[in-house]
Amino acid sequence: MNNTIRRASVFTLLLVFALLVRATWVQFYEGQALADDKDNRRGAIATYAEPLGNIIVAGESITGSARTKGSDLAYKRTYQDGKLYAAVTGYASQSYAPTQLEGIYQDLLDGTDSRLKATLDLVTGDRADPGNVITTIDPDVQQAAYDALGDTKGAAVAIDPATGRILAVVSTPSYDPSSLTDANTAGAAWKKLTKDSDKPLTNRALRQPLPPGSTFKLVVAAAALEDGLYASVDEDTGSPDPYTLPGTSTVLKNENPSAPCENASIRTALRYSCNNVFAKMAVDLGQDKVRAMAEKFGFNDDTQDVPVRAHASVYPSGMDKAQTGLSGLGQFDVTATPLQMAMVSAAMANDGKLVSPHMVSQITDSGGDVLKNYEDGTDSDGSTDTKEIVSSSTAGQLRSAMETVVEQGTGTNAQIDGATVGGKTGTAQNGKNNSKTPYAWFTSYGKTDGKEVAVAVVVEQSDAARSEVSGNGLAAPVAKAMMQAALA
Protein backbone atom coordinates (compact mmCIF):
# COMPACT_ATOMS: atom_id res chain seq x y z
CA MET A 1 0.00 0.00 0.00
CA ASN A 2 2.77 2.41 0.95
CA ASN A 3 4.62 1.58 -2.27
CA THR A 4 1.48 2.24 -4.29
CA ILE A 5 0.94 5.63 -2.60
CA ARG A 6 4.60 6.47 -3.03
CA ARG A 7 4.52 5.69 -6.75
CA ALA A 8 1.31 7.68 -7.22
CA SER A 9 2.82 10.63 -5.35
CA VAL A 10 5.98 10.60 -7.45
CA PHE A 11 3.95 10.31 -10.64
CA THR A 12 1.73 13.23 -9.53
CA LEU A 13 4.79 15.35 -8.71
CA LEU A 14 6.23 14.57 -12.14
CA LEU A 15 2.99 15.67 -13.77
CA VAL A 16 3.00 18.91 -11.76
CA PHE A 17 6.65 19.50 -12.67
CA ALA A 18 5.93 18.86 -16.36
CA LEU A 19 3.01 21.30 -16.19
CA LEU A 20 5.23 23.96 -14.60
CA VAL A 21 7.92 23.42 -17.24
CA ARG A 22 5.37 23.69 -20.03
CA ALA A 23 3.77 26.81 -18.54
CA THR A 24 7.18 28.41 -18.14
CA TRP A 25 8.11 27.53 -21.71
CA VAL A 26 4.88 28.99 -23.09
CA GLN A 27 5.16 32.15 -21.01
CA PHE A 28 8.80 32.97 -21.59
CA TYR A 29 9.66 31.36 -24.92
CA GLU A 30 6.45 31.06 -26.93
CA GLY A 31 4.64 34.05 -25.50
CA GLN A 32 5.76 36.53 -28.15
CA ALA A 33 5.03 34.13 -30.99
CA LEU A 34 1.53 33.57 -29.63
CA ALA A 35 1.04 37.30 -29.16
CA ASP A 36 2.10 37.93 -32.77
CA ASP A 37 -0.03 35.15 -34.21
CA LYS A 38 -2.41 36.51 -36.84
CA ASP A 39 -5.30 34.64 -35.23
CA ASN A 40 -4.70 36.18 -31.80
CA ARG A 41 -6.99 39.19 -31.53
CA ARG A 42 -5.67 40.42 -28.19
CA GLY A 43 -3.02 42.56 -29.88
CA ALA A 44 -5.56 44.15 -32.21
CA ILE A 45 -8.01 44.65 -29.34
CA ALA A 46 -5.33 46.44 -27.34
CA THR A 47 -4.15 48.51 -30.32
CA TYR A 48 -7.64 49.71 -31.21
CA ALA A 49 -8.95 50.10 -27.66
CA GLU A 50 -8.22 53.83 -27.89
CA PRO A 51 -7.77 56.35 -30.71
CA LEU A 52 -4.40 56.28 -32.50
CA GLY A 53 -2.00 59.19 -32.80
CA ASN A 54 -1.95 61.13 -36.05
CA ILE A 55 0.16 61.89 -39.10
CA ILE A 56 0.42 65.64 -39.69
CA VAL A 57 0.82 67.61 -42.92
CA ALA A 58 1.33 71.37 -42.70
CA GLY A 59 -0.13 71.47 -39.20
CA GLU A 60 -3.26 69.48 -40.07
CA SER A 61 -4.02 65.82 -39.27
CA ILE A 62 -4.56 63.72 -42.36
CA THR A 63 -5.50 60.74 -40.16
CA GLY A 64 -8.02 60.19 -37.37
CA SER A 65 -9.87 57.52 -35.42
CA ALA A 66 -13.57 56.66 -35.28
CA ARG A 67 -15.69 54.48 -32.99
CA THR A 68 -16.73 51.13 -34.39
CA LYS A 69 -20.09 49.42 -33.87
CA GLY A 70 -20.69 45.86 -32.80
CA SER A 71 -17.01 44.94 -32.51
CA ASP A 72 -14.51 44.19 -29.76
CA LEU A 73 -12.16 46.57 -31.62
CA ALA A 74 -13.36 49.88 -30.22
CA TYR A 75 -11.77 52.22 -32.77
CA LYS A 76 -10.65 52.13 -36.39
CA ARG A 77 -8.28 54.35 -38.37
CA THR A 78 -9.71 57.05 -40.65
CA TYR A 79 -8.06 59.15 -43.36
CA GLN A 80 -8.59 62.63 -44.74
CA ASP A 81 -7.96 62.72 -48.51
CA GLY A 82 -6.87 59.10 -48.28
CA LYS A 83 -6.10 58.62 -51.98
CA LEU A 84 -4.06 61.82 -52.09
CA TYR A 85 -1.77 60.80 -49.24
CA ALA A 86 -1.79 56.99 -49.48
CA ALA A 87 1.83 56.87 -50.69
CA VAL A 88 2.83 58.82 -47.57
CA THR A 89 0.67 57.34 -44.83
CA GLY A 90 0.19 53.76 -45.98
CA TYR A 91 -2.56 52.16 -43.89
CA ALA A 92 -3.22 51.00 -40.33
CA SER A 93 -5.63 48.09 -40.49
CA GLN A 94 -7.47 45.97 -37.93
CA SER A 95 -6.71 42.98 -40.19
CA TYR A 96 -3.37 43.62 -41.91
CA ALA A 97 0.10 44.78 -40.89
CA PRO A 98 0.55 48.56 -41.19
CA THR A 99 2.61 50.05 -44.03
CA GLN A 100 4.54 53.23 -44.87
CA LEU A 101 4.59 55.81 -42.03
CA GLU A 102 1.82 53.92 -40.25
CA GLY A 103 4.13 50.93 -40.07
CA ILE A 104 7.41 52.74 -39.34
CA TYR A 105 5.87 54.60 -36.38
CA GLN A 106 3.36 51.98 -35.26
CA ASP A 107 4.54 51.98 -31.63
CA LEU A 108 4.46 55.77 -31.43
CA LEU A 109 0.99 55.98 -32.96
CA ASP A 110 -0.56 53.26 -30.77
CA GLY A 111 1.01 54.54 -27.53
CA THR A 112 3.35 51.60 -26.84
CA ASP A 113 6.59 53.47 -27.57
CA SER A 114 8.58 53.52 -24.32
CA ARG A 115 9.42 57.20 -24.84
CA LEU A 116 5.76 58.07 -24.31
CA LYS A 117 5.35 56.42 -20.90
CA ALA A 118 5.17 58.56 -17.77
CA THR A 119 6.25 57.16 -14.40
CA LEU A 120 2.65 56.34 -13.45
CA ASP A 121 2.20 54.42 -16.72
CA LEU A 122 5.22 52.29 -15.89
CA VAL A 123 3.73 51.46 -12.49
CA THR A 124 0.16 50.78 -13.65
CA GLY A 125 1.07 49.21 -16.98
CA ASP A 126 -1.47 51.45 -18.75
CA ARG A 127 -0.85 52.43 -22.36
CA ALA A 128 0.37 56.00 -22.76
CA ASP A 129 -1.40 58.60 -24.87
CA PRO A 130 -0.18 58.10 -28.46
CA GLY A 131 2.26 60.42 -30.22
CA ASN A 132 2.13 62.14 -33.60
CA VAL A 133 4.27 62.14 -36.76
CA ILE A 134 5.03 65.55 -38.32
CA THR A 135 5.83 65.24 -42.03
CA THR A 136 7.72 67.50 -44.44
CA ILE A 137 5.02 67.13 -47.11
CA ASP A 138 3.76 70.33 -48.75
CA PRO A 139 0.02 69.85 -49.40
CA ASP A 140 0.04 72.16 -52.42
CA VAL A 141 2.86 70.26 -54.14
CA GLN A 142 1.25 66.92 -53.23
CA GLN A 143 -2.10 68.03 -54.67
CA ALA A 144 -0.48 69.44 -57.81
CA ALA A 145 1.29 66.13 -58.48
CA TYR A 146 -1.83 64.06 -57.84
CA ASP A 147 -4.01 66.23 -60.07
CA ALA A 148 -1.44 66.40 -62.87
CA LEU A 149 -0.88 62.63 -62.93
CA GLY A 150 -4.64 62.14 -63.05
CA ASP A 151 -5.70 58.83 -64.55
CA THR A 152 -2.23 57.80 -65.67
CA LYS A 153 -0.17 55.04 -64.10
CA GLY A 154 2.89 56.75 -62.67
CA ALA A 155 4.60 58.48 -59.78
CA ALA A 156 6.25 61.70 -58.72
CA VAL A 157 8.58 62.95 -55.99
CA ALA A 158 9.58 66.49 -55.05
CA ILE A 159 12.55 67.41 -52.81
CA ASP A 160 13.85 70.68 -51.39
CA PRO A 161 17.49 70.45 -52.55
CA ALA A 162 18.89 72.64 -49.76
CA THR A 163 17.27 70.73 -46.88
CA GLY A 164 16.45 67.25 -48.21
CA ARG A 165 12.83 67.70 -47.18
CA ILE A 166 10.52 65.60 -49.33
CA LEU A 167 7.64 67.85 -50.38
CA ALA A 168 5.54 65.33 -52.29
CA VAL A 169 5.29 61.55 -52.78
CA VAL A 170 2.52 60.49 -55.16
CA SER A 171 1.76 57.15 -56.78
CA THR A 172 -1.11 56.56 -59.22
CA PRO A 173 -3.50 54.87 -59.46
CA SER A 174 -3.93 55.33 -55.75
CA TYR A 175 -6.30 53.71 -53.25
CA ASP A 176 -8.27 54.79 -50.20
CA PRO A 177 -6.57 53.43 -47.04
CA SER A 178 -9.91 53.75 -45.23
CA SER A 179 -11.18 50.74 -47.19
CA LEU A 180 -8.68 48.52 -45.33
CA THR A 181 -9.12 49.77 -41.77
CA ASP A 182 -12.26 47.95 -40.62
CA ALA A 183 -11.91 44.19 -40.00
CA ASN A 184 -15.50 43.63 -41.15
CA THR A 185 -14.92 45.01 -44.65
CA ALA A 186 -11.14 44.93 -45.17
CA GLY A 187 -11.09 41.42 -46.62
CA ALA A 188 -13.16 42.27 -49.67
CA ALA A 189 -11.24 45.49 -50.27
CA TRP A 190 -7.90 43.70 -49.90
CA LYS A 191 -8.93 41.03 -52.42
CA LYS A 192 -10.00 43.67 -54.94
CA LEU A 193 -6.83 45.77 -54.53
CA THR A 194 -4.41 42.85 -54.71
CA LYS A 195 -6.08 41.48 -57.85
CA ASP A 196 -6.01 44.86 -59.61
CA SER A 197 -3.52 44.61 -62.50
CA ASP A 198 -2.56 48.27 -61.97
CA LYS A 199 -1.22 47.38 -58.49
CA PRO A 200 -2.52 50.42 -56.60
CA LEU A 201 -0.96 49.18 -53.34
CA THR A 202 2.53 49.51 -54.86
CA ASN A 203 4.26 52.75 -53.95
CA ARG A 204 5.67 53.54 -57.39
CA ALA A 205 7.44 56.67 -56.14
CA LEU A 206 9.66 54.78 -53.68
CA ARG A 207 9.31 51.09 -54.31
CA GLN A 208 9.15 50.45 -58.07
CA PRO A 209 12.42 50.97 -59.98
CA LEU A 210 12.12 51.16 -63.78
CA PRO A 211 14.57 51.84 -66.61
CA PRO A 212 15.22 55.60 -66.32
CA GLY A 213 16.00 56.06 -70.00
CA SER A 214 17.71 59.26 -71.01
CA THR A 215 17.38 60.90 -67.59
CA PHE A 216 20.35 58.67 -66.63
CA LYS A 217 22.48 60.56 -69.17
CA LEU A 218 22.94 63.21 -66.46
CA VAL A 219 24.80 60.65 -64.34
CA VAL A 220 27.03 59.65 -67.28
CA ALA A 221 27.74 63.30 -68.09
CA ALA A 222 28.66 63.95 -64.45
CA ALA A 223 31.07 61.00 -64.52
CA ALA A 224 32.70 62.26 -67.74
CA LEU A 225 33.23 65.79 -66.40
CA GLU A 226 34.49 64.63 -63.00
CA ASP A 227 36.86 62.13 -64.64
CA GLY A 228 38.23 64.76 -67.01
CA LEU A 229 37.15 62.87 -70.12
CA TYR A 230 35.82 66.23 -71.27
CA ALA A 231 36.83 69.61 -69.92
CA SER A 232 33.42 71.23 -70.29
CA VAL A 233 29.87 70.67 -71.47
CA ASP A 234 30.72 72.65 -74.63
CA GLU A 235 33.65 70.52 -75.80
CA ASP A 236 33.09 68.29 -78.83
CA THR A 237 32.90 64.63 -77.83
CA GLY A 238 34.11 63.09 -81.08
CA SER A 239 31.04 60.85 -81.26
CA PRO A 240 30.15 59.26 -84.60
CA ASP A 241 26.51 59.27 -85.69
CA PRO A 242 25.29 56.60 -85.94
CA TYR A 243 27.29 54.70 -83.33
CA THR A 244 27.84 50.96 -83.51
CA LEU A 245 27.95 49.21 -80.15
CA PRO A 246 31.39 47.61 -79.63
CA GLY A 247 31.67 43.97 -80.65
CA THR A 248 28.26 43.97 -82.33
CA SER A 249 26.57 45.03 -85.52
CA THR A 250 23.92 46.95 -83.57
CA VAL A 251 23.73 50.55 -84.72
CA LEU A 252 22.36 53.11 -82.28
CA LYS A 253 20.20 55.74 -83.85
CA ASN A 254 18.73 58.91 -82.40
CA GLU A 255 15.05 59.68 -82.01
CA ASN A 256 15.47 62.81 -84.13
CA PRO A 257 17.43 61.87 -87.28
CA SER A 258 18.06 65.54 -88.10
CA ALA A 259 19.51 66.40 -84.69
CA PRO A 260 23.13 67.59 -84.75
CA CYS A 261 24.45 64.63 -82.76
CA GLU A 262 27.67 63.89 -84.63
CA ASN A 263 30.61 65.04 -82.46
CA ALA A 264 28.05 66.86 -80.31
CA SER A 265 29.05 68.49 -77.02
CA ILE A 266 27.44 67.38 -73.79
CA ARG A 267 25.20 70.46 -73.89
CA THR A 268 23.98 69.67 -77.39
CA ALA A 269 23.72 65.95 -76.64
CA LEU A 270 21.51 66.63 -73.61
CA ARG A 271 19.47 69.18 -75.55
CA TYR A 272 18.67 66.70 -78.32
CA SER A 273 19.10 63.55 -76.16
CA CYS A 274 21.72 62.07 -78.49
CA ASN A 275 22.02 58.34 -77.87
CA ASN A 276 25.27 57.97 -79.81
CA VAL A 277 27.10 60.45 -77.57
CA PHE A 278 26.20 58.89 -74.24
CA ALA A 279 26.63 55.30 -75.37
CA LYS A 280 30.17 56.11 -76.53
CA MET A 281 30.77 58.14 -73.37
CA ALA A 282 29.82 55.20 -71.14
CA VAL A 283 32.06 52.87 -73.13
CA ASP A 284 34.99 55.31 -73.00
CA LEU A 285 34.59 55.75 -69.24
CA GLY A 286 34.03 52.06 -68.58
CA GLN A 287 31.35 50.56 -66.40
CA ASP A 288 33.36 50.92 -63.17
CA LYS A 289 33.60 54.72 -63.42
CA VAL A 290 29.95 55.08 -64.40
CA ARG A 291 28.93 52.81 -61.54
CA ALA A 292 31.05 54.76 -59.06
CA MET A 293 29.27 57.97 -60.03
CA ALA A 294 25.85 56.31 -59.98
CA GLU A 295 26.51 54.98 -56.49
CA LYS A 296 27.53 58.45 -55.28
CA PHE A 297 24.06 59.60 -56.30
CA GLY A 298 22.48 56.67 -54.42
CA PHE A 299 22.22 53.78 -56.88
CA ASN A 300 22.81 50.26 -55.49
CA ASP A 301 21.92 51.46 -51.97
CA ASP A 302 19.56 48.92 -50.40
CA THR A 303 19.37 50.86 -47.11
CA GLN A 304 17.81 54.10 -48.38
CA ASP A 305 15.33 55.10 -45.65
CA VAL A 306 13.24 58.27 -45.89
CA PRO A 307 12.24 56.82 -43.30
CA VAL A 308 10.21 54.36 -45.42
CA ARG A 309 12.68 51.94 -47.01
CA ALA A 310 13.03 52.79 -50.70
CA HIS A 311 13.73 50.05 -53.21
CA ALA A 312 17.33 50.12 -54.44
CA SER A 313 17.93 51.70 -57.84
CA VAL A 314 20.42 49.60 -59.78
CA TYR A 315 23.46 50.18 -61.95
CA PRO A 316 24.59 46.66 -62.93
CA SER A 317 28.01 45.01 -63.01
CA GLY A 318 29.62 42.36 -65.19
CA MET A 319 28.64 44.00 -68.48
CA ASP A 320 30.48 43.80 -71.78
CA LYS A 321 31.23 46.98 -73.73
CA ALA A 322 28.01 46.86 -75.74
CA GLN A 323 25.93 46.48 -72.59
CA THR A 324 27.90 49.29 -70.96
CA GLY A 325 27.02 51.48 -73.95
CA LEU A 326 23.33 50.70 -73.50
CA SER A 327 23.63 51.46 -69.78
CA GLY A 328 24.74 54.97 -70.76
CA LEU A 329 21.23 55.47 -72.13
CA GLY A 330 19.59 54.27 -68.91
CA GLN A 331 18.71 50.97 -70.57
CA PHE A 332 19.99 47.36 -70.35
CA ASP A 333 19.63 46.49 -66.63
CA VAL A 334 19.74 50.05 -65.23
CA THR A 335 16.72 50.85 -63.04
CA ALA A 336 15.73 53.83 -60.91
CA THR A 337 12.89 55.04 -58.73
CA PRO A 338 11.43 58.54 -59.05
CA LEU A 339 12.99 59.24 -55.63
CA GLN A 340 16.43 58.38 -57.04
CA MET A 341 16.08 60.59 -60.12
CA ALA A 342 14.80 63.46 -57.97
CA MET A 343 17.97 63.04 -55.90
CA VAL A 344 20.06 63.45 -59.06
CA SER A 345 18.42 66.77 -59.88
CA ALA A 346 18.54 67.86 -56.23
CA ALA A 347 22.31 67.40 -56.14
CA MET A 348 22.73 69.42 -59.34
CA ALA A 349 20.55 72.21 -57.97
CA ASN A 350 22.42 72.25 -54.65
CA ASP A 351 25.81 72.95 -56.21
CA GLY A 352 26.81 69.28 -56.31
CA LYS A 353 25.84 68.41 -52.73
CA LEU A 354 23.14 65.85 -51.95
CA VAL A 355 21.27 66.32 -48.68
CA SER A 356 19.76 63.10 -47.34
CA PRO A 357 16.06 63.10 -48.36
CA HIS A 358 13.50 62.66 -45.57
CA MET A 359 9.72 63.10 -45.21
CA VAL A 360 9.43 63.30 -41.40
CA SER A 361 10.61 66.39 -39.55
CA GLN A 362 9.58 65.50 -35.98
CA ILE A 363 7.82 62.96 -33.82
CA THR A 364 6.04 64.27 -30.73
CA ASP A 365 4.09 63.06 -27.73
CA SER A 366 0.39 63.78 -27.37
CA GLY A 367 1.09 67.18 -25.85
CA GLY A 368 3.31 68.28 -28.72
CA ASP A 369 6.64 67.88 -26.91
CA VAL A 370 9.30 66.77 -29.40
CA LEU A 371 10.59 63.23 -28.89
CA LYS A 372 12.92 63.35 -31.86
CA ASN A 373 13.79 66.11 -34.29
CA TYR A 374 14.97 64.98 -37.72
CA GLU A 375 17.10 67.96 -38.56
CA ASP A 376 17.66 68.83 -42.21
CA GLY A 377 20.84 67.24 -43.50
CA THR A 378 20.67 64.20 -41.23
CA ASP A 379 19.70 60.62 -41.98
CA SER A 380 17.16 58.43 -40.18
CA ASP A 381 19.42 57.82 -37.18
CA GLY A 382 20.18 61.52 -36.76
CA SER A 383 23.76 61.50 -38.10
CA THR A 384 24.91 64.13 -40.57
CA ASP A 385 24.34 63.00 -44.13
CA THR A 386 25.17 65.64 -46.71
CA LYS A 387 27.53 64.40 -49.41
CA GLU A 388 29.42 66.14 -52.18
CA ILE A 389 28.51 64.17 -55.29
CA VAL A 390 30.23 66.35 -57.89
CA SER A 391 32.27 69.53 -57.75
CA SER A 392 30.63 72.93 -57.81
CA SER A 393 32.07 73.44 -61.31
CA THR A 394 30.58 70.22 -62.66
CA ALA A 395 27.21 70.94 -61.05
CA GLY A 396 27.19 74.46 -62.51
CA GLN A 397 27.99 73.23 -66.01
CA LEU A 398 25.33 70.55 -65.90
CA ARG A 399 22.74 73.01 -64.57
CA SER A 400 23.53 75.25 -67.53
CA ALA A 401 23.07 72.32 -69.92
CA MET A 402 19.85 71.23 -68.21
CA GLU A 403 18.50 74.76 -68.57
CA THR A 404 19.29 74.60 -72.29
CA VAL A 405 17.18 71.41 -72.46
CA VAL A 406 14.17 73.29 -71.07
CA GLU A 407 14.73 76.54 -72.95
CA GLN A 408 15.57 75.12 -76.37
CA GLY A 409 15.55 71.32 -76.27
CA THR A 410 13.36 68.34 -75.48
CA GLY A 411 11.98 69.74 -72.21
CA THR A 412 10.21 72.91 -73.25
CA ASN A 413 6.92 71.88 -71.61
CA ALA A 414 8.53 72.49 -68.20
CA GLN A 415 9.15 76.20 -68.76
CA ILE A 416 7.83 78.46 -65.97
CA ASP A 417 7.58 82.23 -66.30
CA GLY A 418 9.75 83.99 -63.74
CA ALA A 419 11.66 80.83 -62.73
CA THR A 420 14.88 79.18 -63.79
CA VAL A 421 14.17 75.59 -64.77
CA GLY A 422 16.59 72.86 -65.77
CA GLY A 423 15.63 69.34 -66.71
CA LYS A 424 16.16 66.15 -68.67
CA THR A 425 13.60 64.08 -70.49
CA GLY A 426 13.65 60.33 -70.89
CA THR A 427 11.69 57.77 -72.87
CA ALA A 428 12.68 54.29 -71.71
CA GLN A 429 12.00 51.16 -73.69
CA ASN A 430 9.57 48.69 -72.17
CA GLY A 431 9.26 45.02 -73.09
CA LYS A 432 11.17 42.85 -75.52
CA ASN A 433 12.12 44.93 -78.58
CA ASN A 434 10.20 47.82 -77.01
CA SER A 435 6.94 45.99 -77.67
CA LYS A 436 5.10 47.65 -74.78
CA THR A 437 4.31 51.31 -74.14
CA PRO A 438 7.55 53.14 -73.29
CA TYR A 439 8.05 54.83 -69.92
CA ALA A 440 8.03 58.63 -70.01
CA TRP A 441 10.43 60.34 -67.56
CA PHE A 442 11.32 63.86 -66.56
CA THR A 443 13.74 65.00 -63.85
CA SER A 444 14.24 68.67 -63.13
CA TYR A 445 14.77 71.53 -60.72
CA GLY A 446 13.17 74.95 -60.51
CA LYS A 447 14.49 78.08 -58.81
CA THR A 448 13.26 81.55 -57.98
CA ASP A 449 14.69 84.07 -55.54
CA GLY A 450 14.68 82.26 -52.20
CA LYS A 451 12.98 79.04 -53.30
CA GLU A 452 14.01 75.89 -55.12
CA VAL A 453 12.70 72.40 -55.73
CA ALA A 454 13.84 69.21 -57.47
CA VAL A 455 11.30 66.88 -59.07
CA ALA A 456 11.18 63.55 -60.85
CA VAL A 457 8.17 62.11 -62.65
CA VAL A 458 7.55 58.82 -64.42
CA VAL A 459 4.45 57.97 -66.43
CA GLU A 460 4.26 54.23 -67.02
CA GLN A 461 1.03 54.17 -68.96
CA SER A 462 -1.56 56.65 -70.13
CA ASP A 463 -4.28 57.10 -72.72
CA ALA A 464 -1.86 58.89 -75.05
CA ALA A 465 -1.11 57.35 -78.43
CA ARG A 466 2.21 55.53 -78.54
CA SER A 467 3.62 58.15 -80.91
CA GLU A 468 2.88 60.82 -78.29
CA VAL A 469 4.63 59.05 -75.40
CA SER A 470 7.63 61.15 -74.41
CA GLY A 471 9.14 62.70 -71.33
CA ASN A 472 8.30 66.17 -72.61
CA GLY A 473 4.76 65.26 -73.63
CA LEU A 474 3.63 63.31 -70.55
CA ALA A 475 6.03 63.79 -67.62
CA ALA A 476 7.27 67.38 -68.01
CA PRO A 477 3.81 68.96 -67.54
CA VAL A 478 3.43 67.07 -64.25
CA ALA A 479 6.84 68.30 -63.09
CA LYS A 480 5.93 71.83 -64.14
CA ALA A 481 2.74 71.78 -62.04
CA MET A 482 4.69 70.55 -59.03
CA MET A 483 7.45 73.11 -59.42
CA GLN A 484 4.92 75.92 -59.80
CA ALA A 485 3.24 74.85 -56.55
CA ALA A 486 6.56 74.64 -54.70
CA LEU A 487 7.84 77.99 -55.98
CA ALA A 488 4.58 79.90 -55.57
Side-chain angles (χ1 to χ4, degrees):
M1 185 66 176
N2 289 338
N3 287 336
T4 302
I5 293 173
R6 193 161 34 248
R7 291 192 189 98
S9 299
V10 170
F11 182 69
T12 302
L13 287 173
L14 289 174
L15 289 176
V16 171
F17 179 73
L19 182 61
L20 290 173
V21 169
R22 178 58 180 165
T24 301
W25 178 267
V26 169
Q27 182 174 356
F28 291 99
Y29 291 94
E30 295 183 353
Q32 190 59 51
L34 291 170
D36 294 339
D37 191 288
K38 64 182 179 63
D39 294 322
N40 185 353
R41 288 177 60 83
R42 290 192 177 187
I45 290 171
T47 297
Y48 293 100
E50 301 290 342
L52 300 175
N54 287 308
I55 298 171
I56 311 296
V57 169
E60 299 291 333
S61 295
I62 58 172
T63 58
S65 296
R67 293 284 306 193
T68 57
K69 296 180 179 179
S71 172
D72 53 359
L73 305 174
Y75 287 86
K76 65 179 179 180
R77 184 55 122 184
T78 60
Y79 295 90
Q80 304 295 324
D81 295 317
K83 287 188 175 182
L84 174 62
Y85 291 108
V88 176
T89 61
Y91 55 79
S93 171
Q94 294 176 345
S95 299
Y96 304 103
T99 62
Q100 306 295 97
L101 293 185
E102 292 276 26
I104 296 293
Y105 295 105
Q106 180 180 10
D107 292 349
L108 177 82
L109 294 168
D110 68 17
T112 59
D113 191 313
S114 60
R115 291 170 293 183
L116 297 169
K117 289 187 177 295
T119 303
L120 185 59
D121 296 325
L122 295 173
V123 173
T124 63
D126 291 340
R127 190 173 80 176
D129 292 335
N132 298 313
V133 178
I134 315 300
T135 74
T136 62
I137 299 297
D138 183 319
D140 293 332
V141 183
Q142 185 82 5
Q143 188 73 60
Y146 186 76
D147 290 345
L149 281 168
D151 294 331
T152 65
K153 185 192 297 184
V157 173
I159 302 173
D160 182 332
T163 65
R165 291 180 168 225
I166 296 177
L167 306 179
V169 178
V170 173
S171 176
T172 57
S174 187
Y175 68 99
D176 185 357
S178 297
S179 66
L180 297 171
T181 60
D182 193 320
N184 294 319
T185 57
W190 177 263
K191 185 176 181 179
K192 180 179 179 180
L193 288 169
T194 53
K195 286 188 173 183
D196 191 328
S197 60
D198 286 337
K199 299 180 179 179
L201 291 176
T202 298
N203 188 335
R204 291 178 160 82
L206 306 180
R207 298 287 307 162
Q208 180 161 288
L210 297 170
S214 293
T215 59
F216 189 74
K217 292 173 181 176
L218 292 171
V219 177
V220 181
L225 292 171
E226 288 288 281
D227 181 67
L229 183 63
Y230 304 109
S232 79
V233 294
D234 294 308
E235 177 184 336
D236 287 348
T237 60
S239 304
D241 182 19
Y243 175 70
T244 301
L245 292 172
T248 75
S249 58
T250 301
V251 176
L252 278 185
K253 298 180 180 179
N254 297 303
E255 290 294 325
N256 182 357
S258 62
C261 290
E262 184 174 1
N263 300 326
S265 65
I266 290 175
R267 183 188 302 276
T268 299
L270 287 174
R271 175 183 174 185
Y272 292 97
S273 204
C274 299
N275 291 333
N276 62 308
V277 174
F278 289 98
K280 179 179 182 296
M281 197 180 299
V283 171
D284 289 348
L285 285 167
Q287 61 180 298
D288 291 343
K289 290 180 179 179
V290 179
R291 184 184 309 104
M293 179 56 66
E295 288 179 352
K296 289 180 73 175
F297 278 108
F299 283 79
N300 297 335
D301 181 1
D302 57 6
T303 60
Q304 179 70 54
D305 297 329
V306 294
V308 175
R309 176 64 58 85
H311 196 291
S313 299
V314 174
Y315 185 82
S317 58
M319 297 179 286
D320 59 28
K321 287 187 176 181
Q323 293 164 341
T324 300
L326 290 174
S327 78
L329 314 180
Q331 295 286 173
F332 187 57
D333 289 339
V334 181
T335 60
T337 62
L339 170 67
Q340 177 61 72
M341 295 317 300
M343 291 165 62
V344 171
S345 286
M348 300 302 183
N350 197 39
D351 218 24
K353 296 180 177 63
L354 178 62
V355 183
S356 182
H358 56 286
M359 63 176 171
V360 172
S361 59
Q362 294 178 335
I363 56 174
T364 71
D365 64 17
S366 60
D369 291 334
V370 176
L371 299 175
K372 187 169 185 179
N373 188 29
Y374 297 93
E375 295 181 4
D376 298 334
T378 61
D379 61 17
S380 59
D381 65 6
S383 60
T384 301
D385 196 7
T386 299
K387 302 174 183 176
E388 182 175 293
I389 309 303
V390 296
S391 67
S392 175
S393 172
T394 293
Q397 290 195 66
L398 287 174
R399 283 199 305 274
S400 176
M402 290 171 73
E403 288 160 18
T404 299
V405 170
V406 173
E407 292 166 4
Q408 306 170 15
T410 59
T412 54
N413 283 341
Q415 293 176 3
I416 299 173
D417 290 341
T420 299
V421 179
K424 182 67 191 82
T425 56
T427 305
Q429 293 185 1
N430 178 18
K432 187 175 182 179
N433 298 322
N434 200 24
S435 57
K436 298 181 180 180
T437 303
Y439 304 124
W441 281 88
F442 193 71
T443 184
S444 62
Y445 63 82
K447 294 188 176 187
T448 58
D449 290 339
K451 289 188 176 182
E452 61 183 354
V453 64
V455 170
V457 177
V458 63
V459 175
E460 291 182 46
Q461 194 172 5
S462 73
D463 292 333
R466 186 185 178 94
S467 60
E468 297 174 359
V469 174
S470 69
N472 191 45
L474 295 180
V478 179
K480 175 181 179 177
M482 297 170 69
M483 290 187 289
Q484 285 179 314
L487 300 175

